[in-house]
Amino acid sequence: MSQQPSAAPAPATVTVARRRDWWRDAVIYQVYPRSFADSNGDGMGDLEGVRSRLPYLRDLGVDAVWLSPFYASPQADAGYDVADYRAVDPMFGNLLDADALIRDAHALGLRIIVDLVPNHSSDQHEWFKRALAEGPGSPSRDRYHFRPGKGENGELPPNDWESIFGGPAWTRVADGEWYLHLFAPEQPDFNWEHPAVGDEFRSILRFWLDMGVDGFRIDVAHGLVKAEGLPDLGGADQLKLLGNDVMPFFDQDGVHDVYRQWRHVLDEYAGERIFVAEAWTPTVERTANYVRPDELHQAFNFQYLSTDWDAKELRAVIDRTLEAMRPVGAPATWVLSNHDVTRHATRFANPPGLGTQIRTAGDRELGLRRARAATLLMLALPGSAYVYQGEELGLPDVVDLPDEVRQDPAYFRGAGQDGFRDGCRVPIPWTREGSSYGFGSGGSWLPQPASWGELSIEAQTGVAGSTLELYRGALRVRREQADLGAGDAVEWLRAPEGVLAFRRGEFVCVTNTSGESVTTPAYGRVLLASGELTEADGEAKLPADTTVWWTTA
């Protein structure tokens, strides 16, 4: 594996404030390491780059930082194909760099959450290489899903499952057997029925907990357990079923036994360490199963992320979410963007919506205006929220990347997803000018648009009305207002068509999703607004696509 220290450095001393149940109202910032900051000028972000920019995240006002994978990996899927879960890939640094990052974050009052990828490994993982070498019937093959094929000579896949990236979910090896990979062929799925797999991952959890991390984001948390016998889908349109129905390889009830065992491990450690699940489920009610008291702490609300910019639809998903989470005592976990979806500044400007093949940025002004309003709405809701790097700058997706620079494996598969994820992963701009706009001294692994400089942190810092200052203000107000953050209910107020209005104690949030100005009561003193508004005679005129925060105190 990668050349670096063979053992972890001494455990980090956690110095972050010990606020009980911090995760219930935390704002957590996702860092995509390869696109955040490059410390050595090779065009690729790294851990030392992240470490150098931690003061920026502290000043932004977030509570924790989630790092996408930095493990040793051939990078077939941007690090989500892990070859060694206890090593840092040389492109990102080494274990000493990880240790220093964790320590510095804690000294700044930030917690660190790391990605964990338990559904599959890299095909370069020692276990998988051994399984190939030892052949059919060997114990090593039982740690993955190896099967004989169908057909007269085993020339057909064992079942009709398709890869999420397009094409069959099975690849045939030289000895004739097939192995399962729900994603790229370089990402063989673990067999979680084998006890060695569970033993290994509990050990991996302890390795990083001993390093001082404060939690784990669980990749494909809904995918670990497959239905007994790996049954065919029977010709169903798999892409239409994804996220809309329970499938034989997703959201099986057996995953919850895994997480109950993991919770025992986490609870051995002081400091309220947490798990957050990436669990694409058909309903928020099924998502709630992952955050029962003896399982995980948070689960991303993808139903909310997938909702159009429409007051009626937003209110419905907010109500369903809060109702679903209340019986299990878990916080709602809101999110608008991440490394796998179109940024909401672009998504809200494109009528086709999430997951559609997007080839234009649409009306940038419209998308940004809606994105700003959507952010204030999200941060006003009860529970926790996640922010994806660059959204605080109002970054759009980069939709005109040349084919030759794209790296999303879905782009090359010819079917399934359309490979749009590279557009939201372009390195973020720090300065108006300079090599890669301050990302690093040696360019960037994906080309940045010429407009990046004016969207940079340097260009927006201290500028009244900028998106960056809006985020800073929103996170400051969220900390200051006792009625914001944790909770499980909102009091809806009467509002015009296309408008959401709710109260939380002395706090009031009003969001106008319509395409025209509306008049509402002026509920008190304005705390923050995503756009200009006018007030007179106890009334407020809200422009289209605007959110306003008031306090009645």
Side-chain angles (χ1 to χ4, degrees):
M1 295 301 161
S2 55
Q3 295 180 351
Q4 54 195 327
S6 58
T13 301
V14 180
T15 58
V16 292
R18 292 306 179 195
R19 182 167 61 87
R20 182 167 176 77
D21 290 345
W22 66 272
W23 45 275
R24 289 188 173 275
D25 62 357
V27 176
I28 300 175
Y29 186 100
Q30 181 189 359
V31 165
Y32 195 65
R34 59 171 52 208
S35 297
F36 191 66
D38 171 20
S39 71
N40 60 8
D42 66 356
M44 184 69 64
D46 47 46
L47 295 184
E48 181 58 29
V50 177
R51 181 187 175 200
S52 72
R53 298 295 190 175
L54 288 174
Y56 164 75
L57 299 178
R58 175 203 57 197
D59 295 343
L60 183 62
V62 300
D63 300 289
V65 178
W66 152 34
L67 298 168
S68 290
F70 51 79
Y71 309 112
S73 166
Q75 303 295 320
D77 184 23
Y80 282 94
D81 51 317
V82 181
D84 188 343
Y85 291 85
R86 297 177 182 83
V88 174
D89 195 281
M91 74 163 56
F92 298 123
N94 56 45
L95 283 173
L96 293 175
D97 294 320
D99 178 69
L101 191 162
I102 294 166
R103 291 176 184 274
D104 281 9
H106 289 164
L108 292 169
L110 296 168
R111 291 173 168 86
I112 293 292
I113 295 169
V114 298
D115 231 310
L116 190 65
V117 189
N119 179 72
H120 49 262
S121 73
S122 165
D123 62 353
Q124 298 304 304
H125 191 285
E126 289 299 331
W127 279 12
F128 192 76
K129 291 194 292 185
R130 190 183 314 158
L132 291 181
E134 294 180 0
S138 67
S140 294
R141 290 215 168 176
D142 292 339
R143 295 173 179 175
Y144 296 89
H145 293 279
F146 279 89
R147 297 287 188 277
K150 292 181 178 179
E152 184 176 351
N153 299 303
E155 70 278 8
L156 301 176
N159 68 21
D160 63 0
W161 295 358
E162 297 175 10
S163 163
I164 306 304
F165 290 161
W170 296 88
T171 289
R172 198 177 192 186
V173 300
D175 55 45
E177 284 200 327
W178 298 72
Y179 68 88
L180 176 67
H181 52 87
L182 291 179
F183 295 88
E186 296 88 352
Q187 296 170 291
D189 280 45
F190 284 116
N191 174 18
W192 274 86
E193 301 297 325
H194 196 294
V197 177
D199 291 344
E200 171 68 357
F201 273 91
R202 287 191 293 274
S203 174
I204 292 167
L205 291 175
R206 289 190 173 93
F207 179 89
W208 288 102
L209 289 166
D210 289 340
M211 284 273 287
V213 303
D214 300 284
F216 301 87
R217 177 264 191 185
I218 306 168
D219 183 62
V220 196
H222 54 299
L224 277 56
V225 174
K226 278 66 174 175
E228 185 176 359
L230 309 184
D232 283 333
L233 277 164
D237 188 333
Q238 179 175 305
L239 290 177
K240 290 183 178 180
L241 291 177
L242 286 175
N244 296 309
D245 202 351
V246 178
M247 304 180 74
F249 47 79
F250 281 162
D251 199 27
Q252 293 291 306
D253 290 339
V255 299
H256 301 291
D257 292 332
V258 174
Y259 299 135
R260 291 187 186 100
Q261 294 177 34
W262 284 18
R263 183 61 178 265
H264 287 304
V265 173
L266 204 70
D267 289 347
E268 296 172 7
Y269 291 80
E272 289 198 283
R273 322 288 179 101
I274 70 164
F275 289 120
V276 57
E278 182 206 28
W280 290 85
T281 66
T283 64
V284 289
E285 289 77 17
R286 288 197 68 87
T287 300
N289 290 337
Y290 290 80
V291 289
R292 288 177 286 199
D294 61 343
E295 294 187 42
L296 310 178
H297 298 78
Q298 300 177 335
F300 294 127
N301 189 338
F302 292 119
Q303 284 78 18
Y304 182 75
L305 183 151
S306 303
T307 302
D308 289 333
W309 184 241
D310 177 89
K312 184 177 181 180
E313 294 183 24
L314 287 165
R315 176 169 174 170
V317 74
I318 290 167
D319 281 340
R320 287 199 308 272
T321 298
L322 296 176
E323 290 169 7
M325 296 299 153
R326 199 172 293 124
V328 296
T333 304
W334 313 101
V335 62
L336 288 168
S337 289
N338 64 36
H339 66 292
D340 278 334
V341 301
T342 303
R343 288 184 178 276
H344 59 286
T346 292
R347 192 168 74 243
F348 287 147
N350 285 270
L354 179 69
T356 303
Q357 188 176 22
I358 295 173
R359 287 292 176 254
T360 69
D363 181 347
R364 163 148 176 76
E365 182 181 352
L366 173 63
L368 179 59
R369 188 168 67 245
R370 289 177 171 176
R372 288 162 57 95
T375 294
L376 289 194
L377 172 61
M378 176 183 75
L379 292 175
L381 294 171
S384 178
Y386 280 72
V387 172
Y388 177 50
Q389 66 176 48
E391 72 171 76
E392 78 274 20
L393 306 177
L395 295 187
D397 262 36
V398 180
V399 298
D400 55 354
L401 290 169
D403 292 354
E404 60 269 17
V405 305
R406 292 181 177 271
Q407 297 192 26
D408 183 354
Y411 182 77
F412 302 100
R413 297 280 286 174
Q417 293 188 13
D418 58 15
F420 60 78
R421 297 184 302 171
D422 287 321
C424 67
R425 299 175 177 182
V426 174
I428 68 172
W430 293 88
T431 59
R432 278 192 174 92
E433 299 177 349
S435 175
S436 64
Y437 303 103
F439 168 68
S441 61
S444 63
W445 68 281
L446 284 173
Q448 301 157 300
S451 61
W452 240 221
E454 290 309 307
L455 297 175
S456 67
I457 291 153
E458 179 185 34
Q460 297 195 43
T461 294
V463 177
S466 72
T467 301
L468 176 57
E469 293 302 339
L470 179 72
Y471 270 73
R472 286 173 171 161
L475 296 179
R476 182 182 65 254
V477 172
R478 184 181 163 99
R479 289 193 304 273
E480 295 170 349
Q481 292 293 310
D483 294 315
L484 285 177
D488 63 4
V490 299
E491 176 193 348
W492 292 107
L493 305 173
R494 293 185 63 180
E497 186 77 18
V499 176
L500 291 169
F502 61 85
R503 183 190 304 275
R504 299 182 64 196
E506 296 178 336
F507 172 86
V508 175
C509 176
V510 178
T511 299
N512 177 14
T513 70
S514 73
E516 57 189 33
S517 296
V518 297
T519 300
T520 73
Y523 287 96
R525 177 170 57 89
V526 173
L527 294 169
L528 201 62
S530 67
E532 296 290 335
L533 74 153
T534 57
E535 295 184 275
D537 301 323
E539 292 186 330
K541 187 173 183 181
L542 273 66
D545 304 308
T546 299
T547 294
V548 182
W549 289 359
W550 276 284
T551 178
T552 61

